[in-house]
Each structure stands twice: as structure tokens, then as C-alpha cells.
Amino acid sequence: MLEEFFPEFTQKLDEIDQLCSEKRVIDKRTYQFICFALSIKARSKTCVLKHFKGSLEAGTTIKKLHIFLPL
């Protein structure tokens, strides 16, 4: 929805994401793992899906990710 109605805002978010990626001092797997947890806390479906996929691509296992899911 943001991209459809506020493309300039999502472009800036992408720029921030790129800058964070360049300046990050933690590895990608840890970053994605933290973002996944924060996305759940923020209840953002889009971000949860993005960082779930990103976590898996960065090498986090399903077993490690399941600690954030309610039983």
C-alpha cells in the first residue's frame, strides 16, 4: 500500500535500508533475525514475511526462528 500511494516514501525507506546495510557492524543473519523479531512485535505482516525470508536466506534455521512463534 505504501508503495502504491507514497512511492517517494518507500524509495527513501529503500535508501535507508541500503545505507544501514553498508554501515552495519553485525552480520546479515543476526540483522535479519533481529528485524524478524521486531517485525513480529510491531505486528507488521509485510515486514514479518520480508525478514522471515531474509533470515532464511542469510542462514538462520526454521528451528531458531520458531522461538518467536506462539505455541
Side-chain angles (χ1 to χ4, degrees):
M1 182 176 111
L2 278 176
E3 190 170 7
E4 181 181 348
F5 294 106
F6 305 103
E8 65 283 348
F9 181 72
T10 55
Q11 179 185 359
K12 292 297 181 188
L13 284 177
D14 289 342
E15 290 173 18
I16 291 169
D17 219 16
Q18 180 62 34
L19 183 61
C20 287
S21 179
E22 293 169 5
K23 304 291 183 182
R24 185 173 36 240
V25 294
I26 58 175
D27 62 274
K28 186 175 182 179
R29 186 174 64 108
T30 303
Y31 171 77
Q32 288 295 335
F33 193 74
I34 291 169
C35 288
F36 178 65
L38 292 172
S39 297
I40 292 171
K41 180 68 176 168
R43 299 173 190 235
S44 171
K45 180 181 177 180
T46 304
C47 291
V48 167
L49 294 173
K50 174 184 177 182
H51 294 295
F52 176 80
K53 182 179 175 186
S55 291
L56 293 177
E57 289 172 356
T60 303
T61 64
I62 293 286
K63 188 174 182 176
K64 286 187 179 183
L65 291 173
H66 95 281
I67 66 170
F68 296 109
L69 304 176
L71 299 174

